[in-house]
Amino acid sequence: MTTDSRTPDTGADLLPIATPARTRAALRTLIRPDRGLALTGIGILVAATAVGLLVQPLLGRIVDIVADGRPAGDLTLPVVLLVAVAVVQGLTTTLGLTRIARLGETVLARLRERFVERALNLPADRLERAGAGDLTARVTGDVARVAEAVRSALPEMARSVLAIVLTLGALALLDVRFLLAALLAVPVQLLTARWYVRRALTLYADQRVANGAQQQQLLETIGGAVTVRGHRLEEQHTERSAGRSRKAVDLTMRSVNLVLGFYGRLHIAEYIGLAAVLIAGFWLVHDGAVSIGTATAAALYFHSLFGPVNAALVLLDDAQSAAAGLARLVGVTDLAEQPEPATGEPAAGKAAAGKAEAGKAEAGKAAPASVPRQRIASSDAAVTVHAVSHAYGPGRPVLHEVSLTLEPGEHVALVGTSGAGKSTLARIVAGVQQPTSGSVTAPAGTGSATAGAGEHPVVLVTQEVHVFTGTLAEDLRLARPDASDADLRTALATVHALEWAEALPEGLATVVGEGGHRLDPARAQQLALARLVLADPALAVLDEATAEAGSAGARVLERSAEAALAGRTALVVAHRLTQAVAADRVVVLEAGRVVESGPHDELRDADGPYAALWRAWSGSRTTAPHP
C-alpha cells in the first residue's frame, strides 16, 4: 500500500510513498532470497559477542586475586585468557560483519535494480505530473541514504543489539539485582527513543519531499534558463529557488536540534543506570553476597553497555532517515504495472487496472520491458485500437473513444493540430502508456524474427532521442546485444548513416554521448532509426521522429525513416505532411477524436480537415523556406 504525496507550493502530484507496513513487507521480500546468509552472519555475531562477554569476569577475577593478596603467578591464566578472547572476538566479529555487509549490499543491489526497472517503465504522464525533481531526488538522495545505512548502520545496529541482549543476560548471571539496577535506565531510554521516533519519521519524510521540490525548481530554472532570461523572470525564479532552499534548510536545522535533544536525554539515562549499579554493588559487597571482583565485573558490564546502547539509539537517526528514503523507493517499485490480459479477450482499461492493483502484492516479480500486449491469433489485423480514451487528470481528456485498425505492413500517418492527442495515442499504441479506458490488441506473431518471437513486438522512436555515453557500436547494440559489426554496418547503411559513421575519428569505436563525440540532432535520430532496424520489430511507432532535422537534412532523415519502416507495420505521427503523402493511409485527429481516415489523395480532394491542413502546410512551403 502506498500513499500519494503532493507539494503544497507547486501542486505537483509526486510519486507515491509506501506505508511503513508495506515498506517492512518489501524489505522482508528483498531479504528472503538470502535468508541463509542472514542467519549465518547473525549466528557468527552472536558467538563473537558471547566470547567478548568473558572479558569482564576475567577482569573481576584479576581484581579478586589482587584483593586477596595472592601470588603474581595466579594472574597468568586470566591474562592469557584475555588475550585469547580478544583474538577470537576480533576474528569472529570481522567474519560476522562481513557477512552482514554482504547481505546489505546484495539487498541494496536488488532494490536498485527493481527501482530502476520500474522507473524506466513508468507511464510518461505519471512522470510529467510528478516532475523530474521528485524522481531525481529518489534516484540520488534516497538511494544514497539507504546505501549509507546498509554499509554502516546495519552492521553496527546488528552488533549493538546482540551486545545489549547478551550483556543484560550476563548481568543476571552475576546477580539478578545487578540486572534490576541496570534496568532503571531503560524507561528513560525508551521514552527517549519514542520521543525521537515520533518526531523523526515525519521530519525526515518532509525533508526528502522538500529536497525533491528544491531539485525540481533548480532543474526547471536551469533547463529553461534561456526562456527565463528572455522573459526577465530571473528575480522570480531566484526567489522561488531561495524559498524552497530556505524550507529545506529549516527542516535540516530542525533535525539537528532533534538529534541534540536526543543525545542529552541519553546521557541522563546513562547516569541513572551506572549510579544504580554502583550502589547495588556497594550494598551486595557490604552484605557479603558478592565479591569485589563480581561487583567490578557488573560495573564493567554496565559501562560496556554505553557504547552499544548509545549506538543503537543514535543509529535510529540513520534508520529513520533510511526508512523515509526506503519508503519513497518502495513507493515507486510498487506502482501498478499493466498485467497481461487473457488470450482472446479485449483488455478493458478499468479491468486491467484492477488486476494491476491486485498484482502489487507480488513483490519480487520483474517489471516487463514494455506493457504486455494481447495476442489474438484469430485476427489478421496487425493492431486494433478499440474505444481508447485517455485523460491526464480529472477534466483533462485527451482522447475520446478512438478506434483504429492497422493492417499488416500498412503505414498509417497520424496528423492533426497541436494538442489533438497524436503523441498520446502513439504512446498508447506503443504500449508505454496506459489508456484510461479501452484496449489495444495485437495478433500473435508480431515478434522479431531476429530477436526471438515476441521479444520486440513494437519499438517507439520519438523526436527526443538520447545518445548514450559509450562507443557508437555499444549504443547501437542496446537494441540487439548479440549484433555483429557487420549487422551494425548493415543497419547504418539501411538508414543512410554508414558514410558519416565510418568517417568518425575511430569509426564504430568512437565514443559518443556526454563527454564524447557530439552527434547533431539529425545524426542522433538516424542512430535511433538504426537501433529500430536492429531490433527488427513487426510494429514501429514514430512520434515526430524527423522533427529535429532542419530544412537541409529533412529529406535525408525522412528517407532514413522510410527505409527503417520498410516491411513493417507502422504508425507515424507526421510532423511534415510529406510523410502523410508517402503513407498508405492518413488518420486525422481533432480534439482527441478521429475525424477523417483514408489515402492522401482522397482526403486532399475531400475538402475536409485534412485538406485544410494540406493547404496551410503546402502554402507555407511555397511562400517561405521549409521550417
Side-chain angles (χ1 to χ4, degrees):
M1 181 178 180
T2 58
T3 58
D4 292 329
S5 57
R6 186 179 295 271
T7 51
D9 53 345
T10 66
D13 185 9
L14 301 183
L15 296 168
I17 299 175
T19 62
R22 176 62 199 129
T23 303
R24 290 191 294 270
L27 187 58
R28 288 194 296 270
T29 301
L30 290 169
I31 294 175
R32 189 172 295 125
D34 298 292
R35 286 188 302 251
L37 182 61
L39 293 174
T40 302
I42 292 173
I44 294 174
L45 283 180
V46 169
T49 305
V51 169
L53 292 177
L54 296 175
V55 171
Q56 288 83 355
L58 288 173
L59 290 175
R61 179 64 176 167
I62 292 173
V63 170
D64 283 338
I65 291 173
V66 174
D68 294 343
R70 299 178 190 178
D74 290 352
L75 295 174
T76 302
L77 180 60
V79 170
V80 171
L81 289 175
L82 280 173
V83 174
V85 165
V87 173
V88 173
Q89 185 186 22
L91 293 175
T92 52
T93 299
T94 300
L95 181 59
L97 290 178
T98 299
R99 290 185 174 272
I100 294 295
R102 184 181 302 170
L103 170 68
E105 290 294 340
T106 302
V107 170
L108 179 62
R110 191 173 294 125
L111 174 64
R112 279 174 168 162
E113 291 169 1
R114 190 168 300 174
F115 178 85
V116 171
E117 185 178 41
R118 189 59 51 83
L120 290 175
N121 286 278
L122 287 176
D125 58 323
R126 187 67 185 88
L127 280 178
E128 289 170 2
R129 294 200 308 270
D134 186 34
L135 186 62
T136 301
R138 299 187 192 217
V139 171
T140 55
D142 292 321
V143 170
R145 291 291 181 109
V146 175
E148 183 181 356
V150 164
R151 290 171 182 148
S152 57
L154 177 63
E156 186 64 28
M157 177 70 83
R159 185 172 64 171
S160 297
V161 170
L162 289 173
I164 293 168
V165 173
L166 294 179
T167 301
L168 291 176
L171 276 172
L173 289 176
L174 291 179
D175 193 294
V176 72
R177 286 167 287 189
F178 285 126
L179 175 61
L180 295 175
L183 292 179
L184 290 177
V186 172
V188 179
Q189 292 168 334
L190 291 179
L191 289 173
T192 298
R194 182 183 178 188
W195 172 84
Y196 175 76
V197 169
R198 291 177 63 181
R199 289 162 175 77
L201 188 59
T202 302
L203 179 59
Y204 284 120
D206 291 343
Q207 190 175 3
R208 299 308 304 154
V209 170
N211 288 339
Q214 181 189 29
Q215 289 194 32
Q216 176 68 27
Q217 181 62 48
L218 291 175
L219 287 172
E220 290 177 351
T221 301
I222 295 173
V226 175
T227 302
V228 170
R229 287 195 296 267
H231 290 272
R232 299 294 187 267
L233 298 174
E234 295 94 338
E235 185 175 348
Q236 295 180 21
H237 277 257
T238 300
E239 289 177 356
R240 290 177 188 172
S241 298
R244 295 187 187 179
S245 296
R246 281 194 298 270
K247 184 174 181 180
V249 170
D250 178 64
L251 289 170
T252 300
M253 294 308 300
R254 284 173 56 190
S255 67
V256 170
N257 291 330
L258 183 66
V259 171
L260 291 176
F262 180 63
Y263 284 141
R265 287 166 171 79
L266 289 184
H267 293 326
I268 295 174
E270 290 173 359
Y271 174 81
I272 293 173
L274 184 58
V277 170
L278 289 175
I279 291 172
F282 174 80
W283 286 109
L284 291 173
V285 172
H286 181 268
D287 292 342
V290 298
S291 67
I292 296 176
T294 301
T296 301
L300 291 174
Y301 270 136
F302 186 81
H303 188 272
S304 70
L305 283 175
F306 285 7
V309 167
N310 288 348
L313 293 177
V314 168
L315 285 174
L316 285 174
D317 180 63
D318 293 334
Q320 294 304 311
S321 180
L326 183 60
R328 285 161 56 82
L329 297 178
V330 173
V332 174
T333 63
D334 271 359
L335 278 175
E337 61 186 58
Q338 177 76 10
E340 187 168 358
T343 302
E345 297 179 3
K350 292 183 179 179
K355 292 180 182 178
E357 286 294 327
K360 282 184 180 181
E362 298 181 22
K365 182 177 180 181
S370 63
V371 175
R373 307 187 58 77
Q374 186 179 12
R375 309 290 182 186
I376 302 181
S378 61
S379 173
D380 293 330
V383 178
T384 300
V385 179
H386 178 69
V388 162
S389 296
H390 188 72
Y392 287 107
R396 297 174 57 197
V398 179
L399 298 176
H400 305 272
E401 299 288 330
V402 174
S403 293
L404 176 67
T405 298
L406 279 71
E407 300 297 335
E410 183 183 25
H411 290 187
V412 174
L414 196 60
V415 302
T417 58
S418 179
K422 304 185 299 297
S423 293
T424 299
L425 181 59
R427 289 198 296 261
I428 290 174
V429 170
V432 300
Q433 185 165 310
Q434 297 302 309
T436 304
S437 64
S439 64
V440 178
T441 57
T446 57
S448 164
T450 57
E455 186 175 350
H456 294 294
V458 59
V459 168
L460 170 68
V461 179
T462 72
Q463 62 179 331
E464 298 174 356
V465 176
H466 183 74
V467 179
F468 294 87
T469 300
T471 66
L472 183 63
E474 291 171 343
D475 204 305
L476 288 165
R477 286 193 176 98
L478 290 170
R480 206 172 90 205
D482 61 346
S484 65
D485 285 350
D487 293 331
L488 303 186
R489 289 188 171 86
T490 298
L492 289 168
T494 300
V495 299
H496 312 292
L498 182 60
E499 183 177 350
W500 66 255
E502 291 187 331
L504 293 175
E506 298 179 52
L508 295 181
T510 302
V511 175
V512 294
E514 187 174 353
H517 186 89
R518 182 182 177 277
L519 299 182
D520 61 40
R523 289 184 175 182
Q525 197 63 256
Q526 284 183 309
L527 178 62
L529 292 171
R531 287 199 293 251
L532 184 151
V533 172
L534 287 168
D536 193 22
L539 171 63
V541 179
L542 269 57
D543 184 6
E544 298 189 350
T546 63
E548 289 297 321
S551 57
R555 184 54 193 155
V556 172
L557 198 51
E558 288 178 6
R559 287 177 54 231
S560 298
E562 291 171 7
L565 296 179
R568 317 179 199 283
T569 305
L571 179 66
V572 180
V573 177
H575 173 69
R576 295 179 173 86
L577 291 190
T578 50
Q579 297 169 293
V581 174
D584 300 314
R585 182 159 52 99
V586 179
V587 173
V588 183
L589 279 184
E590 273 191 9
R593 291 182 171 86
V594 175
V595 294
E596 277 190 311
S597 178
H600 162 74
D601 292 338
E602 179 182 314
L603 297 185
R604 182 194 57 192
D605 297 336
D607 200 26
Y610 180 76
L613 288 173
W614 176 259
R615 286 193 297 269
W617 183 79
S618 58
S620 67
R621 286 170 55 83
T622 59
T623 58
H626 194 285

